[in-house]
């Protein structure tokens, strides 16, 4: 009865019928339990009781010390990341700001394999290098962007709010896995400028030039600038499918997996597989910036890549004409 109404309500709520309780402050720290206030006869004693109760009910002050700097375990060596390795860290951390989603498609590669064989036979006869699966898939990606150019757009947020950047050309980033002298690996992603405007022959030359300069350590800063879309191929080390990180500023990253028979058929003889019409296949994924690209667009884009790789829209015919191969390519016949 010696405290005002607000304190009386506080103690009634906290103590209930007079039992003791422990209050927990907002930061999770416990405070000292308060006890029922005894009947006091004098004003001096009343002031003392109020002071004692107030002190007991007050939450403990939050610690004000500086945050402790993280230190590596004493028995382990911490090797600072510098150069390209540090840049990868920065890019990965910035990529966390991009809201992404992924579409994936499984594509048979029998026709791709057979026509690639014919292409390489012609290139070898004219001492013009060699076409890899990645060359052909990358070119199919570029052709598919002609039907879905919005996948090459970029996201931008400035003073006027969120906006879509309409890019006039495709700068295709190609992931290059490099092994250092100490056995560690690093990833570089230079780009092929205006790749969408190149014929297949020109694209082969540009692609091989970028890869060669990457392996020789002759890339320049400009080779990494302005990438709009990337292609990575973890399938070269046996990875079946991959969902890579999308770098800030890019719209889509396409990943290709290993080219192989479905696992349930891998123990069969090649002759039996051929008789059953079972083809090797490849998984292709499209990881995209969901702020400007929707799942239906990404799925339709992969479907277009699929159509090209099974020979639709004169994909192989155009390549054979461009390379000067004097006969028609094989066709998908069902």
């Amino acid at each position: 009865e010696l405290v005002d109404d607000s304190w009386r309500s506080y103690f009634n709520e906290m103590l209930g019928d007079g039992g003791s309780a422990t209050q927990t402050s907002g930061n999770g720290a416990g405070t000292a339990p308060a006890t029922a206030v005894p009947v006091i006869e004098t004003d001096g004693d009343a002031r003392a009781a109020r002071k004692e109760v107030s002190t007991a009910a007050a939450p403990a002050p939050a610690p004000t010390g500086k945050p402790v700097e993280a230190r590596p375990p004493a028995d382990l060596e911490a090797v600072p990341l510098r150069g390209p390795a540090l840049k990868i860290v920065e890019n990965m951390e910035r990529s966390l700001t991009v809201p992404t989603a992924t579409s994936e498609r499984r594509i048979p590669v029998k026709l791709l394999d057979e026509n690639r064989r014919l292409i390489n036979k012609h290139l070898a006869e004219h001492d013009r290098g060699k076409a890899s699966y990645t060359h052909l898939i990358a070119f199919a990606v570029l052709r598919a962007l002609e039907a879905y150019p919005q996948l090459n757009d970029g996201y931008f947020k400035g003073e006027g709010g969120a906006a879509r950047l309409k890019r006039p050309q495709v700068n295709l980033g190609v992931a290059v896995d490099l092994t250092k002298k100490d056995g560690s690996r690093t990833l570089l992603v230079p780009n092929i400028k205006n790749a969408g405007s190149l014929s297949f022959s020109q694209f082969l030359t540009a692609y091989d030039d970028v890869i060669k300069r990457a392996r020789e350590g002759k890339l320049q800063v400009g080779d990494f600038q302005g990438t709009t879309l990337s292609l990575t191929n973890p399938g070269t080390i046996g990875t079946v499918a991959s969902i890579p990180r999308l770098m800030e500023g890019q719209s889509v990253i396409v990943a290709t997996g290993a080219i192989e028979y479905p696992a349930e058929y891998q123990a069969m003889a090649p002759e039996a597989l051929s008789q059953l019409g079972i083809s090797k296949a490849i998984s292709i994924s499209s990881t995209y910036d969901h702020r400007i690209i929707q799942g239906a667009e990404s799925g339709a884009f992969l479907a277009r890549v699929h159509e090209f790789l099974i020979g639709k829209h004169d994909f192989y015919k155009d390549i054979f004409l461009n390379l000067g191969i004097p006969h028609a390519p094989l066709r998908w016949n069902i």
Side-chain angles (χ1 to χ4, degrees):
E1 299 296 324
L2 297 176
V3 295
D4 59 32
D5 290 340
S6 62
W7 277 104
R8 208 174 302 162
S9 299
Y10 172 79
F11 286 122
N12 285 339
E13 180 180 351
M14 186 179 72
L15 299 176
D17 295 331
S20 63
T22 301
Q23 182 207 4
T24 301
S25 65
N27 65 4
T31 60
T35 57
V37 181
V39 177
I40 305 296
E41 299 295 339
T42 66
D43 290 343
D45 288 340
R47 286 193 298 270
R50 286 198 295 271
K51 181 177 180 181
E52 182 179 350
V53 171
S54 298
T55 302
T64 58
K66 295 181 180 180
V68 179
E69 182 180 354
R71 296 180 181 276
D75 58 338
L76 299 178
E77 178 187 6
V79 181
L81 297 174
R82 294 188 174 89
L86 180 58
K87 193 62 180 177
I88 289 174
V89 172
E90 295 171 356
N91 287 340
M92 288 297 107
E93 292 178 344
R94 291 171 63 186
S95 77
L96 296 175
T97 65
V98 182
T100 61
T102 300
S103 306
E104 188 174 335
R105 197 173 184 95
R106 190 81 171 152
I107 302 175
V109 297
K110 180 64 174 178
L111 189 65
L112 169 64
D113 189 34
E114 295 297 339
N115 279 325
R116 173 179 171 267
R117 211 182 302 274
L118 295 175
I119 290 170
N120 281 334
K121 181 179 179 182
H122 174 80
L123 293 175
E125 290 172 352
H126 295 80
D127 195 24
R128 295 173 60 184
K130 187 177 181 181
S132 68
Y133 292 106
T134 306
H135 284 122
L136 291 160
I137 294 170
F139 197 66
V141 167
L142 293 172
R143 289 287 306 276
L145 286 173
E146 295 173 6
Y148 298 96
Q150 66 271 29
L151 270 73
N152 193 54
D153 293 346
Y155 174 82
F156 176 78
K157 188 171 184 180
E159 295 181 357
R164 175 188 289 269
L165 296 177
K166 305 295 291 184
R167 291 164 168 158
Q169 65 184 40
V170 180
N171 295 334
L172 177 67
V174 289
V176 186
D177 179 36
L178 300 177
T179 303
K180 298 180 181 179
K181 294 180 180 179
D182 61 0
S184 63
R185 305 177 87 144
T186 188
L187 185 71
L188 299 178
V189 190
N191 65 64
I192 301 171
K193 299 290 192 288
N194 202 14
S197 67
L198 304 177
S199 67
F200 185 72
S201 178
Q202 293 169 331
F203 179 71
L204 274 179
T205 301
Y207 190 104
D208 291 344
D209 173 66
V210 165
I211 299 298
K212 183 174 183 290
R213 288 190 291 117
R215 300 198 185 285
E216 295 176 351
K218 295 181 180 180
L219 292 172
Q220 304 297 318
V221 173
D223 292 312
F224 298 93
Q225 294 176 329
T227 304
T228 62
L229 178 143
S230 293
L231 173 67
T232 182
N233 184 18
T236 57
I237 56 174
T239 301
V240 175
S242 176
I243 301 177
R245 295 298 311 173
L246 181 64
M247 295 297 97
E248 185 182 45
Q250 298 182 32
S251 54
V252 172
I253 180 168
V254 175
T256 59
I259 296 175
E260 59 186 15
Y261 290 108
E264 59 269 29
Y265 297 111
Q266 290 179 9
M268 295 181 65
E271 295 79 8
L273 292 170
S274 180
Q275 290 176 355
L276 293 172
I278 296 173
S279 167
K280 289 183 179 180
I282 186 172
S283 291
I284 299 184
S285 67
S286 161
T287 299
Y288 53 93
D289 188 336
H290 212 340
R291 294 172 295 191
I292 56 171
I293 297 171
Q294 302 309 312
E297 295 173 308
S298 175
F301 164 71
L302 288 183
R304 190 77 170 186
V305 174
H306 186 155
E307 291 171 359
F308 283 130
L309 294 180
I310 61 172
K312 293 186 177 182
H313 314 295
D314 293 331
F315 179 68
Y316 295 111
K317 180 181 177 181
D318 291 343
I319 290 175
F320 275 48
L321 287 172
N322 177 254
L323 294 176
I325 300 176
H327 52 82
L330 297 174
R331 295 184 297 111
W332 184 265
N333 189 19
I334 297 178

